[in-house]
Amino acid sequence: MNDNRNAKASAFKALHAEGVLVLPNAWDAGSAALIARSGARAVATTSGGVSWALGRPDGQALTREEMAGQVRRICAAVDLPVTADIEGGYGPDPDDVAATVAAMIDAGAVGVNIEDSVAPGQPLFGSDEQSRRLRAARSAAEAAGVPDLVVNARTDVYLFGIGAEEDRFDDVVARAEAYAEAGADCLFVPGLVDLEAVAALVKAVPLPVNVMAGPGAPTVAEFEAAGARRVSVGTAISQAAYSLAQRVAVELVEHGTYGELAGALDYMSLNSVFGR
């Protein structure tokens, strides 16, 4: 079984070799199935969307077991490679990260996203400490028989505005070099959407660069031209879905009308996505 999973991990890793990999982010089995039907080549999860679907706030409020359960359902719903957002690894120590990676592999994931935030908005793990956590992730993947697990090392330097603005680029470059040496396969830098800065970072670091896009950000084609190899959208799709649910409910309760429901997938089309 793990031989097949490692083959899927290897195929997922190969998608980062050239061009740009577009990863819409899923939060449950249904969203994952629709993303797969859209023509995506892989599915990424969003910890925020998963947390909201389980009635929790984003920001490491889930347990390892809760996240693994949702990742298992997502993986079972699609044949595509799935990379799991495991936030900070559900514990500060390398052993915590190792246990989380093992749980995600068991659930079916062939990639993981590990951030270097101690907690949202808080100081980051030091580069050396985060490197130890990444080494633990790589060792856990090897022990689980999936040595080609794609480890996407997320740094929140730009997202949370860590340090002086003029020092952030150099901080990210130094972290990228350390994370690559620790076994990371990609560098994820949410909060960085300036195309000139993205292009400069691509040239400065030894890892493929993942950016997080959304309304107002450059297009996928523009990010690709700047050298980014991976574009995801974080919580944006789940935000849009929940926003629609709220608009529909408000219209129905306050006005008794149904305009916000216009344009929805029809029942049979949606139901067929889940046919056996």
Side-chain angles (χ1 to χ4, degrees), residues 109-134:
V110 296
V112 292
N113 184 81
I114 307 173
E115 61 198 48
D116 57 11
S117 290
V118 174
Q122 299 297 312
L124 308 187
F125 286 105
S127 182
D128 290 345
E129 189 174 8
Q130 182 67 0
S131 293
R132 286 193 291 273
R133 286 158 41 85
L134 291 170

Side-chain angles (χ1 to χ4, degrees), residues 64 89 93-103 133 136-137 139-141:
R64 176 184 300 120
D93 297 330
D95 286 348
D96 296 318
V97 175
T100 299
V101 167
R133 286 158 41 85
S139 294

